[in-house]
Amino acid sequence: MSAIASVSPAATEGLAAFDDDVPRPARLLGAAGLAWLGVAAVVLVWPDAQEVARTDLLGTLAAVLGGVLLLSWALGWIVPAVARLGHRAPWLCVLAVALAAWETVTAKLDLLPLPFFASPQAFLEVYTDDYPRLLDCLYHSVVLLAKGYLLGAAVGFASGVALGWSTRIGYWVHPVLRLIGPLPATAWIPLAFFVFPSSASASVFLIALATWFPTTVLTWSGVASVQTAYYDVARTLGAGPRFLVLKVAIPAALPHVFVGLFMGLGSSFAVLVVAEMLGVKSGLGWYLQWSQGWAAYANMYADLFIMALMCSTLITLLFRLRDRMLAWQKGLVQW
Amino acid sequence: MVSAALDLAPEAGTGSVAAGATLQIQGISHGFVLQNEILPVLHDITLRADPGEFVALLGASGCGKSTLLRLCAGLDRPRRGRLQMDGVEITRPHPSRVIMFQDPTLFPWRTVWDNAALGLEARGELRHGRSRVDEVLSLVGLGNFGRAYPHQLSGGMAQRASLARALVNDPRLLLLDEPLGKLDSLTRLTMQGELTRLWQQRGFTVLMVTHDVEEALLMAQRVIVFSERPACIRADLQVGLPFPRRRDDPELLRLRHEALGLLGLEAIW
Ligand SMILES: Nc1ncnc2c1ncn2[C@@H]1O[C@H](COP(=O)(O)OP(=O)(O)O)[C@@H](O)[C@H]1O
Ligand SMILES: [Mg+2]
């Protein structure tokens, strides 16, 4: 208490000044708005050299974005929260320039060879015309991934805890883990599609396998590296084996477990795409293959973009979960 | 801070205040296997602590004090000899004899409150013991820090939380392994006084390991001086001074001289 009271007035003023600094509308936000209006002008006014549809839609979208940005810049003078958008302004400016350049060399001047380099309009057209199929593919990919990942993570967690806790289980599981684990899950593809009744169940198995290995190894090492002092403390206070596993070993190992889950998620993405390209007749991976077969490169790029969004979102969700469950740790990496 | 909570009355069924246990250590010898050889650590230790007695164990670093404490807690079994609490053989850990380590060893994923409640939760008694946790936390001066996580505490506060975690179980024998060893000297002085007062109020038996001669003489009724490893008992000093003790008491200075001599450090004094 006394320590706080004795802080000098000057120091308190300094803090207040620090507080004031943030909410001032960034001038760059206004510039970004103008830039996007410029993009709209380029798109709408300059006649297309390539034969493309959706020029009007693209121009309208750019104009709307520009208008919204200008409006938020103006609103920032009144509502401080809006002014915080300012830190996105540099990115928005760069994107406007990049889009204008892309539009110029494709649709407007027709400088780049056509099937490989699609114009922004063509990109947009994929979403407006083929969105039912893309949504369907996204849905199937997410469902397949969720089934395989959750199965692999659950089994991996359980086997990791068992390995770290019980030497008898370790005796049997450890050699299997050492032999099978490092083999990439994709190596099982020919066998899995042959053995399993459907390509969907084979894919679930493969994704689960890819998730299982890193989850197991890291859970195991997490449980094995718990300080014995924690067990000593719990035992002197009357804890039984159940408490030692559930309330000591597992919480202590959680930071490792999340590293395993993160690595498992990465390898599950890889297996998902390969499995969809080779066997499953739906999903974003299949769409990639399919559009390449038709030399529909715009569709491919549109699909890749959705895939990137999906993977990034899932990783973000995992990190959110980790931040919630490991709130007791300090200095977590922000994703 | 302790006096504010002097009226920590025993609740029905949670033990009683004058509840010190008798500890009997009879002919204990112990050692560890290191590279196919046995490293002898304790040699024929016989010691008795009466109910409510405060005994300090003093010895050079590495002589085997922590080992003896772990044996008393029932965490390890001695190679030779017998350990009894109130005439019952000590074969495994039990919440009536709680050990407090030099490091607070709080569980970092639990709040201070949940750490203090650990023993009750482990034994399934938490539902009836919530108020008990609150009481003990305010007794050690952490009443307002129940929701903090261990990494948010200072060293002294962490050690208090560790003390609370022990006291919640109403131990009859408190085993302290250099509990103040890592604290800064001011916090250390405060906590020496607090621990002594707590022991006087609650009446448990205390076995405290320390390498600080003055600390032993200020807090304990008896000071056992160990030899170098393998440790055997070199002296059993009675400290008859009343509490609270003064650091410059001539009798205390005389005992300090004697203890340092027994540890082979006369020349320094
Ligand atoms: N678990 C163990 N395994 C092997 N040696 C040990 C073990 N615990 C303690 N020792 C050895 O026993 C001796 C006494 O240790 P300890 O009781 O911790 O000493 P201190 O008196 O400093 O508390 C030391 O030499 C230490 O190396
Ligand atoms: Mg020690």
Side-chain angles (χ1 to χ4, degrees):
Chain A
M1 273 292 113
S2 58
I4 291 171
S6 69
V7 168
S8 71
T12 328
E13 270 164 31
L15 284 178
F18 186 74
D19 240 359
D20 267 348
D21 250 4
V22 188
R24 187 154 302 154
R27 217 174 292 157
L28 209 52
L29 198 60
L34 292 177
W36 278 95
L37 288 179
V39 171
V42 168
V43 172
L44 293 173
V45 177
W46 193 349
D48 294 324
Q50 287 180 344
E51 206 176 299
V52 286
R54 310 289 168 217
T55 300
D56 293 345
L57 179 61
L58 182 67
T60 314
L61 286 178
V64 168
L65 180 58
V68 168
L69 289 177
L70 276 181
L71 205 67
S72 3
W73 169 74
L75 215 65
W77 294 100
I78 309 162
V79 190
V82 177
R84 284 175 211 278
L85 275 178
H87 79 277
R88 304 256 183 231
W91 257 112
L92 289 162
C93 291
V94 169
L95 282 178
V97 172
L99 185 65
W102 179 17
E103 175 73 7
T104 308
V105 295
T106 53
K108 301 305 178 194
L109 294 178
D110 197 14
L111 291 179
L112 297 175
L114 236 192
F116 307 109
F117 295 93
S119 60
Q121 283 95 322
F123 198 80
L124 195 59
E125 191 182 1
V126 177
Y127 291 125
T128 57
D129 292 18
D130 210 17
Y131 73 90
R133 203 200 307 256
L134 276 170
L135 281 182
D136 184 64
C137 284
L138 175 64
Y139 171 76
H140 280 100
S141 286
V142 169
V143 168
L144 182 59
L145 188 72
K147 281 184 189 164
Y149 182 74
L150 293 178
L151 181 67
V155 175
F157 178 73
S159 57
V161 171
L163 265 168
W165 186 256
S166 154
T167 42
R168 199 174 320 158
I169 296 177
Y171 175 83
W172 293 106
V173 179
H174 190 203
V176 179
L177 183 77
R178 283 184 68 163
L179 184 68
I180 310 273
L183 193 62
T186 40
W188 293 90
I189 284 181
L191 186 66
F193 280 129
F194 173 68
V195 169
F196 279 84
S198 66
S199 56
S201 55
S203 307
V204 170
F205 166 77
L206 291 169
I207 293 168
L209 191 66
T211 311
W212 168 78
F213 178 59
T215 310
T216 303
V217 171
L218 275 135
T219 306
W220 170 32
S221 83
V223 171
S225 64
V226 176
Q227 291 179 42
T228 47
Y230 289 155
Y231 297 126
D232 286 344
V233 165
R235 279 171 61 216
T236 45
L237 299 180
R242 201 183 136 84
F243 188 89
L244 292 181
V245 176
L246 296 180
K247 298 292 179 104
V248 183
I250 290 179
L254 268 193
H256 287 252
V257 174
F258 273 102
V259 177
L261 289 174
F262 172 72
M263 288 167 57
L265 194 55
S267 29
S268 76
F269 292 153
V271 176
L272 172 77
V273 174
V274 176
E276 285 179 342
M277 282 178 163
L278 292 183
V280 189
K281 290 282 172 280
S282 63
L284 295 173
W286 167 82
Y287 191 92
L288 220 50
Q289 186 88 338
W290 174 81
S291 47
Q292 196 221 8
W294 289 98
Y297 285 91
N299 294 56
M300 220 165 92
Y301 302 142
D303 186 58
L304 276 174
F305 187 64
I306 293 187
M307 226 183 233
L309 284 183
M310 176 187 82
C311 296
S312 173
T313 306
L314 291 173
I315 297 263
T316 305
L317 287 176
L318 183 66
F319 272 69
R320 287 275 156 77
L321 180 70
R322 183 198 64 160
D323 290 349
R324 273 188 80 107
M325 295 189 69
L326 302 185
W328 50 271
Q329 272 191 325
K330 47 179 176 178
L332 284 179
V333 180
Q334 289 299 314
W335 164 256
Chain B
M1 143 190 336
V2 168
S3 55
L6 259 170
D7 55 349
L8 187 84
E11 301 164 14
T14 53
S16 60
V17 166
T22 314
L23 175 71
Q24 275 177 291
I25 303 174
Q26 294 163 354
I28 288 290
S29 294
H30 197 63
F32 294 102
V33 180
L34 281 180
Q35 281 132 29
N36 297 324
E37 272 181 47
I38 290 188
L39 173 79
V41 173
L42 298 170
H43 179 71
D44 197 21
I45 307 280
T46 299
L47 181 65
R48 181 191 159 91
D50 288 324
E53 202 173 15
F54 195 135
V55 181
L57 308 180
L58 197 58
S61 180
C63 75
K65 307 179 297 291
S66 299
T67 307
L68 181 61
L69 229 53
R70 287 180 63 88
L71 295 176
C72 294
L75 286 167
D76 298 317
R77 303 279 291 132
R79 287 175 179 266
R80 192 169 307 147
R82 294 171 62 185
L83 286 149
Q84 290 181 332
M85 181 163 130
D86 288 335
V88 181
E89 199 83 12
I90 296 175
T91 55
R92 57 194 170 88
H94 192 274
S96 64
R97 43 173 186 270
V98 178
I99 185 165
M100 194 177 143
F101 298 98
Q102 180 171 6
D103 295 309
T105 50
L106 298 171
F107 292 6
W109 58 90
R110 285 174 164 249
T111 60
V112 168
W113 198 94
D114 288 332
N115 266 291
L118 191 74
L120 296 176
E121 193 183 328
R123 300 192 300 278
E125 298 166 7
L126 188 55
R127 237 152 43 91
H128 308 290
R130 301 194 144 266
S131 57
R132 171 107 194 107
V133 178
D134 295 331
E135 271 175 294
V136 173
L137 277 179
S138 48
L139 179 72
V140 300
L142 287 179
N144 295 325
F145 286 89
R147 300 178 66 169
Y149 280 100
H151 79 257
Q152 298 167 315
L153 303 181
S154 69
M157 286 159 82
Q159 206 53 276
R160 281 167 212 265
S162 170
L163 182 63
R165 180 178 63 189
L167 292 180
V168 164
N169 307 285
D170 265 316
R172 302 176 47 233
L173 172 63
L174 195 58
L175 303 162
L176 305 173
D177 192 352
E178 305 193 27
L180 313 178
K182 285 194 176 164
L183 302 182
D184 63 275
S185 51
L186 284 180
T187 314
R188 195 174 169 134
L189 293 186
T190 324
M191 290 217 31
Q192 284 171 354
E194 286 175 12
L195 263 176
T196 319
R197 264 171 289 172
L198 240 144
W199 159 70
Q200 287 178 306
Q201 288 162 33
R202 309 289 294 277
F204 40 59
T205 309
V206 180
L207 203 58
M208 181 181 81
V209 165
T210 177
H211 55 229
D212 182 337
V213 178
E214 191 173 75
E215 181 171 284
L217 294 171
L218 272 174
M219 296 174 73
Q221 295 171 309
R222 274 167 70 201
V223 177
I224 313 286
V225 183
F226 282 123
S227 69
E228 306 271 282
R229 191 183 64 233
C232 55
I233 294 179
R234 201 172 263 172
D236 186 340
L237 306 175
Q238 298 284 335
V239 190
L241 299 169
F243 295 94
R245 292 173 179 167
R246 288 169 54 92
R247 242 155 262 278
D248 52 2
D249 192 305
E251 168 70 0
L252 199 136
L253 291 177
R254 188 190 66 73
L255 284 166
R256 184 183 140 107
H257 191 85
E258 187 178 346
L260 282 171
L262 287 161
L263 291 167
L265 296 167
E266 277 157 309
I268 294 166
W269 174 245

